[in-house]
Amino acid sequence: MKFFLDSANPEQVQEVLRWGLLDGVTTNPSLLAKTGQPYAEVLRRICALVKGPVSAEVVATEGQAMLEQGLRLSELGANIVVKCPATLEGLRATQALARRNVKVNVTLVFSVLQALAAAKCGASYLSLFVGRLEDLGQDGFSVVEQTERVLRDYGFPTQLLVASLRSPAHVLRAAQAGADIATIPFGIFQQMLVHPLTETGLAVFLKDWQASGQKIG
Ligand code: E4P
């Protein structure tokens, strides 16, 4: 499973790159607005840092306007993937962008049928928002499992990206449900790589080694 960072913060991108675990980045209008910086500058910076795909979302509601915004966004970096919402207009824009060889991530997907429609429209990725389903008491991960099965059964090349993750346990469940990608907020990324038993175990090993007086190299 690929790990993407769900963030529009170039410093966070740089930090996760340093860990050697970054396969891509997803942004959305809320994350970009939070930076307080011009969106094009932020996206150019992130695209220059990351080799993998960087998702940037259109903010129009009408298909033609989404297409125009998508084409503009795609000029910010060779690795930009344009995010279009899973609305009827968003699906129109997805087809138009895909026909022009622009990669599209269909976002705000909450059901298997929305996912199937996105795949049929030529989406390279689809973003299933499990956390927002779970927030409402619905089983987001059964939607992931069913979507994964439908995409595989019909042989769609669309990659299933699990978004809106709320905890390390959600990342694990995304992996168990067969997601191709988990897009992970920075805090959860840090949390899932740290185990207290690793920290205390290492401290004991180092103390015992120091007490022995031996040296390596
Ligand atoms: C990423 O692609 C999504 O926009 C993001 O994961 C949404 O997360 P949220 O539900 O926490 O806003």
Side-chain angles (χ1 to χ4, degrees):
M1 184 173 65
K2 289 177 196 148
F3 289 160
F4 284 11
L5 179 67
D6 197 15
S7 170
N9 179 330
E11 278 71 43
Q12 291 182 348
V13 171
Q14 242 164 344
E15 179 62 14
V16 180
L17 265 176
R18 229 169 45 84
W19 306 339
L21 282 168
L22 192 65
D23 297 309
V25 173
T26 52
T27 69
N28 65 33
S30 305
L31 291 170
L32 280 164
K34 212 165 77 181
T35 65
Q37 307 290 317
Y39 78 92
E41 218 172 274
V42 174
L43 288 169
R44 272 201 206 94
R45 265 185 81 191
I46 295 176
C47 285
L49 289 168
V50 180
K51 275 210 207 92
V54 175
S55 288
E57 190 162 342
V58 299
V59 287
T61 51
E62 193 268 318
Q64 179 63 30
M66 288 187 201
L67 168 62
E68 285 160 19
Q69 288 187 0
L71 292 174
R72 231 169 290 140
L73 288 170
S74 71
E75 284 166 10
L76 296 174
N79 45 350
I80 286 277
V81 172
V82 175
K83 262 178 153 181
C84 292
T87 58
L88 291 176
E89 292 295 305
L91 293 177
R92 277 185 57 210
T94 300
Q95 294 170 60
L97 287 162
R99 271 198 299 270
R100 288 164 171 80
N101 292 321
V102 174
K103 288 201 167 114
V104 181
N105 175 355
V106 172
T107 188
L108 289 162
V109 173
F110 294 94
S111 77
V112 183
L113 290 177
Q114 281 181 308
L116 182 55
K120 282 172 68 68
C121 288
S124 299
Y125 303 87
L126 61 89
S127 291
L128 224 160
F129 279 38
V130 286
R132 294 193 192 186
L133 283 171
E134 299 271 323
D135 291 345
L136 296 181
Q138 295 181 23
D139 186 356
F141 291 95
S142 91
V143 182
V144 178
E145 275 165 24
Q146 292 172 55
T147 301
E148 196 278 324
R149 202 170 322 129
V150 168
L151 293 179
R152 199 188 43 215
D153 285 354
Y154 284 101
F156 285 111
T158 311
Q159 294 193 52
L160 173 52
L161 187 158
V162 177
S164 185
L165 295 167
R166 303 274 185 259
S167 65
H170 273 184
V171 181
L172 174 61
R173 291 189 65 192
Q176 288 167 332
D180 296 300
I181 303 157
T183 190
I184 310 167
F186 184 72
I188 296 172
F189 224 132
Q190 273 178 319
Q191 247 182 307
M192 72 185 217
L193 299 174
V194 175
H195 199 290
L197 290 178
T198 306
E199 303 300 321
T200 53
L202 179 62
V204 171
F205 286 156
L206 293 179
K207 189 167 144 275
D208 291 346
W209 185 252
Q210 231 171 4
S212 79
Q214 296 191 71
K215 281 199 169 57
I216 297 179

